[in-house]
Amino acid sequence: MNKWSRAKYQPNLPLYEGQPKVTASAEHIRLSKEAAREGMVLLKNEGALLPLPEGARIALFGKGTFDYVKGGGGSGDVTVPYIRNIAQGFALLPQVSVFPDTVSFYEREVTAQYEAGAVPGLVREPELPDDLVNKAAAFTDTAVISISRFSGEGWDRKSVLDQIEKHVGVDQHLIDLQDSLFEHGDFYLSDAEQAMVDKICAHFAKVIVVLNVGGMVDSSWFAKNEKIGAVLLAWQGGIEGGLAAAELLCGLANPSGKLSDTFAEHLEDYPAAEGFFVSDEYVEYTEDIYVGYRYFETIPGAADKVVYPFGYGLSYTDFALENPAVTIADDAVTVSVLVKNTGCRAGKEVVQVYYGAPQGLLGKPAKELAGYRKTALLAPGQSQELRITFPVSQMASYDDLGKIRKSAYVLEKGDYHFYIGTDVRSAALSETVLHLDEDVVTQQLSERMAPTQLTKRLRADGSYEELPVGTPNDFNETILGDHVPDETANCRPAVRPVPRMLAWGPKPEGHYDLIDVAEGRVSLDVFMAQLSDEDLAHLLSGQPNTGAANTFGYGNNPLYGIPNVMTADGPAGLRIAPEVGVVTTAFPCSTLLACTFDPDVVYAVGRAGAEEVKENNICAWLTPAVNIHRSPLCGRNFEYYSEDPLLAGKQAAAMVRGIQSMHVAATPKHFALNNKETNRRDSDSRASERAIREIYLKAFEIIVKEADPWSLMTSYNIINAHRSSEDADLLNGILRGEWGYEGLVMTDWWNKAEHYKETLAGNDVKMGCGYPERVLAALEQGAVTRADLLTAVRHVLGMILKLD
């Protein structure tokens, strides 16, 4: 197929000539199931209750038995041919016998609620009849309880800490439904769920729990309950998640997932929870760099609040870490360790390396993840040596106040320790120590994105330090008068009607098409020189949908042979609107993929997803989403990877490499600090420059430097009084200036920012349709120049040139 043929002509053809279509193929669905098994986490297994023995009898309980949630809602949803719940999963496995009456009971109850308007995961737990429980107990002594949760784009999870009567900018129907189901917030069991659990524990000697959730939930109810013997954190496992969980419970595979987040006992134990709903207009990131395990492993008294630590996960076999060694040479730290399977089942283990920097003047977390690696499948008695290397400079901290060297990354003098293990809590201290006699500046930068309204931040000893304040930016100021973008606006063609002779006939001398650039007959500079100002302004605006797309495109100037290349939502699979009639593969949620601790798995998912994207004539996939799990309350955490920026960055970089191996553009998002959905278009995320750089931008930095994504999406929210898409410090300063990014930057759809100000800041395309007339008005008034437009158009065309 010729270059851009799929974008131009939208052929209904398989991706690979002479082969069946790959979209929702058996191969991709099998990959989805295998990835789900890799990331599910075994949290508890007392007395080796799992795996279930051959011929075991089980009874299934909980609405999650049938009310299975494959993934979250909004742009991360996927139209699928089917969804396999856990009851259906067990029905495919001859290893166990399932008591049929409870399955029928939940199918009737859940179906009735669906028909009444409920959505998966937001279904009331039905009351269990006593006679049904007694019949089940006569059938077996083993019960499997399934708990499911659902959240989505545009709204956050309910919290008992929320004192705001009515929020702005949310899906109020879903909020009201959530309120009616969960008296204490959906982090905790509802009263009906607790009553069901109590009844099951009273009637069955062996109780297993499966958690079909997209984010952190209360774990104390099962961790501290001796009557609950085993717990599988199955996450939201995609199209075959129910079967993947059933296979793990039956021992057809061995759990090897590790927690990408810390599971604390109470919601209020997370430092960001209390202030999450203080205001719809702003969020204060006062916990600073102490997010997730950085908080729980550092702040005095916080460790006692942890039920399951970051990196934790059990297996059906045992492993020994032998001969650990740390060597330091050529400004790099290398850790080697021999992993041996000392148990009786084949399995995989994850080795995690942490470092502890001296507290010094800046203050540091007690431990920070330096690197990780997963073994191959090791047979009993088999060993594998793993090596993990990272630069010494990775241990530097950013000095935003000038305590040592302002606006610099600094390795403070003192001792740097190393920890090797299988989770942050149990990692063993190495005898090797890196000692620095003097402070070392590893990178000198400039102050960017400093807060003006954040008054304090947390320190490592649990106290707070005051921060300087100033006059905030007026982010609504514009030279063009008041303007509120219309979210219902339709995209329009980028150019005027094209004369037939120019569009389809012979080209006059000196006229070039973009294919001339692609094939080396003319430079991009010469090509762009022939474009009018109006051409340039329209190329900086989203373009109309074609084919199966519903999230608009880029380019679209037939006079100059610029194709209209389409985008599609992610990240759990190619999202095509149901009315199109195309079904695709739903892959596991990003949090599950993070818990694989295996970039190879994520790469495979990225490549398979991109195959489906390309086969459906779409050129850019709006994934991965890599915002940090700052609080359990963020309704979109299922789309994001982890509380740890290194894990999120490494896993998502693998996703980008997999996607772009198919010559499909990946689009990391939402850049940046989009950690709350409520009023997301007008909420100000107030954070220190140090926290921004070390926590909230770090995953993006890793992706940009290691995977070179062809496009990137800014976020809706405001950051320290600057809309992210208008923030020159963020885009031209950090992203392009410090990291050297040369790709396309787009907005999220119909934000509230001013188009010409975005162009000046380094945001290239305004989606979904843009406002080219306002850009031209700003050009006429001298607020932007043609050179500014050419810079942005170069990024747009550069991305299109990379596509097939």
Side-chain angles (χ1 to χ4, degrees):
M1 209 175 274
N2 294 329
K3 192 173 183 68
W4 302 321
S5 288
R6 285 191 174 272
K8 289 180 177 179
Y9 309 120
Q10 299 288 309
N12 182 21
L13 292 174
L15 180 62
Y16 300 111
E17 186 176 354
Q19 301 294 320
K21 286 193 172 184
V22 299
T23 303
S25 63
E27 179 183 358
H28 284 187
I29 291 173
R30 182 170 57 253
L31 172 63
S32 177
K33 184 192 72 171
E34 290 170 354
R37 295 194 316 195
E38 288 284 330
M40 293 181 178
V41 183
L42 184 62
L43 294 178
K44 186 176 182 180
N45 195 20
E46 299 296 328
L49 178 55
L50 293 175
L52 293 166
E54 183 84 17
R57 290 184 162 201
I58 58 174
L60 306 181
F61 293 97
K63 68 180 182 65
T65 298
F66 197 80
D67 179 35
Y68 179 76
V69 180
K70 72 180 188 304
S75 63
D77 198 4
V78 179
T79 304
V80 292
Y82 65 89
I83 302 170
R84 186 102 58 196
N85 60 44
I86 194 167
Q88 295 163 337
F90 274 121
L92 295 177
L93 304 179
Q95 289 85 354
V96 295
S97 297
V98 178
F99 180 62
D101 293 12
T102 57
V103 175
S104 300
F105 169 77
Y106 286 111
E107 182 173 6
R108 288 194 307 273
E109 292 287 334
V110 170
T111 299
Q113 292 190 53
Y114 285 169
E115 292 173 349
V119 298
L122 292 178
V123 169
R124 187 177 304 280
E125 183 67 46
E127 184 177 357
L128 266 176
D130 290 339
D131 62 336
L132 180 62
V133 176
N134 290 332
K135 285 181 64 178
F139 176 82
T140 181
D141 64 351
T142 304
V144 178
I145 298 173
S146 293
I147 302 292
S148 60
R149 290 288 184 271
F150 174 79
S151 63
E153 180 180 5
W155 54 291
D156 291 304
R157 296 172 64 186
K158 176 179 168 54
S159 167
V160 292
L161 304 174
D162 183 2
Q163 301 301 314
I164 298 176
E165 183 174 349
K166 189 176 182 65
H167 290 283
V168 297
V170 299
D171 190 324
Q172 195 60 46
H173 165 69
L174 293 175
I175 289 291
D176 292 343
L177 184 56
Q178 193 182 43
D179 285 350
S180 70
L181 297 176
F182 302 104
E183 303 86 350
H184 317 289
D186 79 332
F187 181 83
Y188 299 100
L189 294 181
S190 68
D191 289 346
E193 287 173 326
Q194 186 64 64
M196 178 269 295
V197 169
D198 291 343
K199 180 175 285 190
I200 299 308
C201 288
H203 283 79
F204 292 84
K206 301 173 184 177
V207 178
I208 300 161
V209 170
V210 176
L211 298 172
N212 169 213
V213 299
M216 293 164 273
V217 292
D218 175 31
S219 52
S220 61
W221 64 270
F222 56 78
K224 297 182 177 182
N225 188 338
E226 295 181 355
K227 295 184 178 180
I228 296 176
V231 179
L232 179 68
L233 178 57
W235 296 115
Q236 293 167 347
I239 189 170
E240 286 281 14
L243 177 58
E247 289 182 348
L248 287 177
L249 295 180
C250 290
L252 300 183
N254 195 341
S256 61
K258 302 288 184 178
L259 288 179
S260 63
D261 296 303
T262 304
F263 275 52
E265 184 168 358
H266 303 292
L267 176 60
E268 54 268 32
D269 293 333
Y270 295 90
E274 183 177 2
F276 192 85
F277 283 130
V278 165
S279 171
D280 280 353
E281 297 179 356
Y282 64 86
V283 181
E284 293 190 332
Y285 290 50
T286 54
E287 74 283 354
D288 205 52
I289 62 171
Y290 300 102
V291 178
Y293 72 85
R294 286 168 168 80
Y295 172 84
F296 291 107
E297 302 301 314
T298 305
I299 306 302
D304 297 336
K305 303 174 182 179
V306 174
V307 180
Y308 296 107
F310 176 88
Y312 174 86
L314 300 175
S315 171
Y316 294 152
T317 191
D318 298 308
F319 296 93
L321 304 188
E322 300 176 348
N323 306 322
V326 178
T327 57
I328 304 169
D330 300 324
D331 297 322
V333 180
T334 298
V335 176
S336 62
V337 61
L338 187 70
V339 182
K340 183 176 182 179
N341 185 343
T342 60
C344 58
R345 290 178 176 270
K348 300 179 182 181
E349 182 58 287
V350 176
V351 173
Q352 302 160 39
V353 176
Y354 299 85
Y355 65 84
Q359 284 298 314
L361 297 178
L362 299 179
K364 318 287 194 317
K367 295 177 184 175
E368 297 186 63
L369 184 66
Y372 59 91
R373 190 173 168 194
K374 196 171 197 174
T375 68
L377 184 66
L378 300 180
Q382 188 177 4
S383 299
Q384 180 182 358
E385 184 180 32
L386 299 182
R387 295 172 65 87
I388 298 167
T389 299
F390 60 95
V392 170
S393 60
Q394 184 176 314
M395 299 186 290
S397 300
Y398 187 75
D399 183 0
D400 56 357
L401 296 183
K403 295 179 179 179
I404 300 169
R405 179 77 67 84
K406 183 171 172 55
S407 304
Y409 276 96
V410 180
L411 289 166
E412 288 200 72
K413 61 186 176 183
D415 292 337
Y416 290 76
H417 297 279
F418 306 98
Y419 304 84
I420 307 166
T422 56
D423 64 69
V424 69
R425 184 64 58 85
S426 65
L429 177 65
S430 169
E431 295 180 355
T432 303
V433 177
L434 172 62
H435 177 78
L436 296 180
D437 292 325
E438 302 292 340
D439 298 329
V440 177
V441 175
T442 62
Q443 189 178 20
Q444 181 64 60
L445 300 171
S446 301
E447 179 180 280
R448 300 191 189 279
M449 302 182 71
T452 56
Q453 295 167 283
L454 184 69
T455 61
K456 66 178 183 178
R457 66 177 173 193
L458 187 63
R459 293 175 56 87
D461 63 1
S463 65
Y464 287 85
E465 71 173 342
E466 294 183 359
L467 295 175
V469 296
T471 302
N473 170 63
D474 182 0
F475 50 79
N476 289 317
E477 183 180 3
T478 173
I479 66 166
L480 301 179
D482 294 338
H483 173 64
V484 178
D486 179 6
E487 236 182 288
T488 64
N490 292 316
C491 282
R492 57 187 178 181
V495 294
R496 286 82 59 216
V498 182
R500 181 177 179 84
M501 183 179 69
L502 286 180
W504 296 282
K507 306 297 181 185
E509 185 177 354
H511 179 99
Y512 300 105
D513 285 343
L514 190 60
I515 193 66
D516 296 319
V517 181
E519 295 180 352
R521 288 185 289 273
V522 67
S523 71
L524 185 56
D525 286 332
V526 170
F527 174 81
M528 291 193 299
Q530 66 186 335
L531 302 178
S532 70
D533 292 343
E534 188 171 356
D535 290 328
L536 298 178
H538 280 274
L539 285 171
L540 304 185
S541 303
Q543 298 302 314
N545 289 315
T546 61
N550 70 347
T551 53
F552 310 102
Y554 320 123
N556 191 27
N557 188 322
L559 176 61
Y560 294 102
I562 302 173
N564 188 9
V565 300
M566 291 294 101
T567 69
D569 268 325
L574 168 62
R575 182 172 186 262
I576 295 178
E579 59 268 24
V580 176
V582 175
V583 293
T584 64
T585 305
F587 294 98
C589 72
S590 296
T591 305
L592 184 151
L593 294 179
C595 289
T596 68
F597 275 68
D598 190 342
D600 291 343
V601 169
V602 185
Y603 178 95
V605 169
R607 182 177 174 87
E611 286 182 317
E612 299 197 8
V613 169
K614 191 169 185 175
E615 186 169 72
N616 286 277
N617 306 314
I618 290 167
C619 300
W621 196 13
L622 306 178
T623 189
V626 291
N627 296 98
I628 293 297
H629 290 171
R630 175 177 177 260
S631 165
L633 294 173
C634 178
R636 218 164 171 181
N637 275 350
F638 66 92
E639 279 195 41
Y640 307 145
Y641 284 73
S642 174
E643 69 188 25
D644 181 79
L646 183 130
L647 177 62
K650 295 287 187 180
Q651 297 290 95
M655 173 70 75
V656 170
R657 289 192 294 270
I659 294 168
Q660 295 185 170
S661 71
M662 291 303 303
H663 294 275
V664 168
T667 312
K669 60 184 183 181
H670 309 88
F671 195 59
L673 285 83
N674 185 179
N675 306 106
K676 179 180 177 180
E677 288 297 289
T678 303
N679 195 31
R680 57 185 176 165
R681 285 179 171 82
D682 271 324
S683 180
D684 188 3
S685 298
R686 300 173 180 173
S688 76
E689 186 184 359
R690 182 181 180 188
I692 289 172
R693 288 183 178 274
E694 291 189 16
I695 303 296
Y696 298 100
L697 298 189
K698 185 60 67 175
F700 289 98
E701 181 180 2
I702 291 169
I703 296 167
V704 166
K705 291 181 176 180
E706 296 187 4
D708 188 24
W710 298 347
S711 57
L712 184 146
M713 185 194 299
T714 52
S715 55
Y716 285 121
N717 55 286
I718 301 158
I719 307 171
N720 289 337
H722 292 265
R723 295 193 183 278
S724 67
S725 59
E726 297 177 351
D727 195 334
D729 271 1
L730 175 66
L731 302 178
N732 282 333
I734 295 175
L735 176 64
R736 299 196 189 277
E738 294 178 9
W739 301 351
Y741 183 66
E742 297 181 351
L744 179 151
V745 177
M746 74 189 76
T747 69
D748 209 335
W749 272 227
W750 294 293
N751 65 12
K752 290 191 174 182
E754 175 63 75
H755 195 163
Y756 81 86
K757 291 168 68 176
E758 293 174 330
T759 303
L760 286 173
N763 192 107
D764 303 310
V765 177
K766 189 172 190 69
M767 300 297 287
C769 60
Y771 299 91
E773 69 282 356
R774 294 182 69 82
V775 175
L776 293 170
L779 179 66
E780 183 178 348
Q781 296 186 39
V784 293
T785 66
R786 178 176 170 87
D788 295 324
L789 305 190
L790 285 168
T791 296
V793 167
R794 174 181 295 276
H795 297 142
V796 177
L797 298 181
M799 190 276 286
I800 293 174
L801 286 166
K802 293 176 181 177
L803 303 171
D804 283 347

